[in-house]
Amino acid sequence: MILVTKPYLPDRSIVEKYINTIYETNWLTNFGPLEHKLTQRLKDYLQVEHLLLLSNGTLALQILYKALGLTGDVVTTPFSFVATTSSLLWENLNPVFADIDPLSFNLSPANIEDVITTNTSAILPVHVFGRSCAVNDIQKIADKNNLQVIYDAAHAFNVTTVENKNILTYGDASILSFHATKLFHTIEGGAIVTNDAELIKECKLLINFGIANYEEITKPGINGKMNEFSAAMGLAVLDSMDYIINERQRVDFTYRKFLPAQIIPKELNFANNNYSYFPVLFDSEGICLNVKDALLANQIMPRRYFYPSLDNLDYINKQQYCPVSRDISSRILCLPMYDSLTELELLKICHVVSNAL
Ligand code: T4K
């Protein structure tokens, strides 16, 4: 079976090189040397000022909501992985959906202001599939309405804008997911990125039970720390980042060459493609399901990322209705995307899709 993704496993000897140091230091978690090393290397790699590693991306969102003191309503996108919405509900915040732009698949600035009320405390856009949001327009709306902006950048590792800034440097803060299925991973993991030194200090306190030092506990925190084995995997994956990106670029190139052009979403011109996903969009849900069935019959497993549209969830306030997101979500598929897909496998996928169409 060719699955939608295959986590990258670095050469065992490289992982062992890092794991051996854990055996030497006997330091397994709680801000250990590998966590420290990975933090520094990621800051350099991504060219960001402050970065805090966490145990996963969902918790990174929740910690930010707490640290930034969000209350009431948060304007967000219905076209995302469910964690974007469920993390808000889990923190007793109310997700209020604004519809998406049909070309970028991201929160449309034109729809954000319509749903802002005196109860709104923040905007939570997602750079879905690593495709950049309209960050400058979103910031203008946030400034005008005195709102905070948190980017769910779970998919946006290694995205640089035409302004020559990492996409993670926009807004008040961003989160990354380092789950095994991501472009860069630490098995499970995530990060908070911000330009605000005080905010990162507060987040670090919150992920360590609110313990300021051995004899001082200043607030109720939780456990969100990254362990040393995850950091070891992260360091080993980072060593191979050029290889991973080049191979994914090759996959993207072959898809673009052999798939019908009309199903490939237009690239956005504000930032680079990071090759994290390969979505294809069909004219109708019927065609989308036919293609999916044809792929499954050939032992290829695409995924309906992201279906259903989150404004459709049973546990969400039913007054919310986002027709563009529901429409896109009903007819989009993500094709397999990972470094080790062979050209032969890619040609088979392209052939099955074209035939089914
Ligand atoms: N915000 C956004 C926008 C996100 O997309 C996510 C996560 C988050 C927030 C939260 O971040 P984390 O808390 O997860 O760090 C997967 C991932 O589990 C999830 O991290 C990711 N987004 C989401 C888009 O994809 P599922 O439910 O699709 O995973 P699953 O188990 O079906 O795996 C996908 C494919 O990968 C399968 O075909 C099998 C393959 N696979 C998976 C694993 C775990 C492997 O071959 N080996 C493996 O070890 O959610």
Side-chain angles (χ1 to χ4, degrees):
M1 195 85 178
I2 303 174
L3 301 175
V4 69
T5 191
K6 186 171 177 180
Y8 177 76
L9 276 177
D11 199 276
R12 195 186 285 237
S13 65
I14 299 177
V15 186
E16 270 170 13
K17 184 183 84 183
Y18 292 110
I19 288 181
N20 288 344
T21 69
I22 302 177
Y23 277 77
E24 284 158 20
T25 59
N26 216 51
W27 200 276
L28 273 67
T29 185
N30 291 9
F31 308 116
L34 295 185
E35 186 265 0
H36 183 72
K37 191 170 184 161
L38 182 59
T39 303
Q40 295 309 319
R41 279 193 57 193
L42 283 172
K43 274 166 55 177
D44 289 346
Y45 186 86
L46 299 169
Q47 293 288 296
V48 295
E49 238 179 292
H50 304 288
L51 181 146
L52 177 68
L53 291 168
L54 288 95
S55 48
N56 62 65
T58 307
L59 201 54
L61 285 169
Q62 291 174 236
I63 292 291
L64 268 181
Y65 307 154
K66 277 254 191 308
L68 289 169
L70 303 196
T71 55
D73 295 350
V74 175
V75 178
T76 188
T77 168
F79 188 69
S80 183
F81 187 60
V82 67
T84 311
T85 286
S86 56
S87 58
L88 288 169
L89 293 168
W90 202 258
E91 292 300 331
N92 290 321
L93 293 162
N94 185 29
V96 172
F97 296 115
D99 212 344
I100 59 169
D101 173 273
L103 297 179
S104 70
F105 310 141
N106 289 324
L107 205 49
S108 165
N111 297 325
I112 295 177
E113 273 197 297
D114 291 348
V115 295
I116 292 175
T117 68
T118 50
N119 208 27
T120 309
S121 62
I123 307 174
L124 173 65
V126 178
H127 303 293
V128 78
F129 306 137
R131 292 162 71 83
S132 66
C133 290
V135 284
N136 293 325
D137 290 344
I138 290 173
Q139 195 58 52
K140 277 185 205 143
I141 296 169
D143 291 343
K144 184 174 155 202
N145 294 280
N146 201 17
L147 300 175
Q148 320 218 44
V149 183
I150 298 174
Y151 282 101
D152 179 339
H155 307 166
F157 188 84
N158 208 30
V159 175
T160 307
T161 69
V162 288
E163 292 166 347
N164 205 21
K165 286 163 64 176
N166 193 295
I167 199 80
L168 305 167
T169 59
Y170 293 81
D172 292 280
S174 297
I175 71 97
L176 286 161
S177 164
F178 298 153
H179 182 260
T181 53
K182 296 294 189 291
L183 179 63
F184 166 80
H185 79 89
T186 59
I187 308 174
E188 287 273 5
I192 291 172
V193 177
T194 176
N195 307 327
D196 180 343
E198 285 308 308
L199 177 61
I200 215 80
K201 244 166 86 184
E202 175 72 6
C203 292
K204 191 166 181 183
L205 190 65
L206 289 177
I207 66 165
N208 190 31
F209 314 100
I211 298 176
N213 58 56
Y214 283 148
E215 292 176 12
E216 201 185 355
I217 302 167
T218 53
K219 52 180 58 177
I222 197 151
N223 183 359
K225 293 165 274 116
M226 176 174 282
N227 72 70
E228 291 289 282
F229 281 84
S230 279
M233 178 61 86
L235 286 162
V237 174
L238 201 53
D239 286 341
S240 307
M241 220 50 228
D242 286 350
Y243 164 82
I244 296 170
I245 291 171
N246 286 341
E247 290 305 304
R248 283 173 172 256
Q249 187 176 27
R250 170 186 59 79
V251 172
D252 184 274
F253 179 82
T254 303
Y255 274 142
R256 285 175 197 278
K257 192 164 169 195
F258 293 107
L259 284 172
Q262 77 268 17
I263 65 169
I264 303 176
K266 281 215 166 22
E267 291 217 59
L268 306 176
N269 53 19
F270 183 65
N272 67 296
N273 179 347
N274 70 347
Y275 314 113
S276 51
Y277 292 84
F278 199 91
V280 280
L281 185 64
F282 303 97
D283 285 344
S284 70
E285 183 168 24
I287 299 173
C288 176
L289 296 179
N290 279 346
V291 172
K292 182 184 140 207
D293 288 346
L295 287 165
L296 286 175
N298 283 277
Q299 304 292 302
I300 300 157
M301 192 174 192
R303 283 292 285 274
R304 295 187 82 183
Y305 290 145
F306 288 100
Y307 180 88
S309 176
L310 299 172
D311 58 316
N312 215 1
L313 293 174
D314 279 343
Y315 48 83
I316 289 291
N317 169 2
K318 282 291 160 201
Q319 307 297 325
Q320 309 194 42
Y321 178 65
C322 299
V324 180
S325 176
R326 288 193 186 198
D327 173 49
I328 298 287
S329 152
S330 73
R331 56 193 177 90
I332 198 163
L333 278 186
C334 279
L335 296 181
M337 170 50 101
Y338 50 88
D339 59 282
S340 58
L341 269 171
T342 66
E343 290 296 298
L344 209 62
E345 288 171 327
L346 285 165
L347 290 179
K348 180 177 171 187
I349 297 169
C350 294
H351 179 75
V352 173
V353 172
S354 302
N355 262 8
L357 279 173

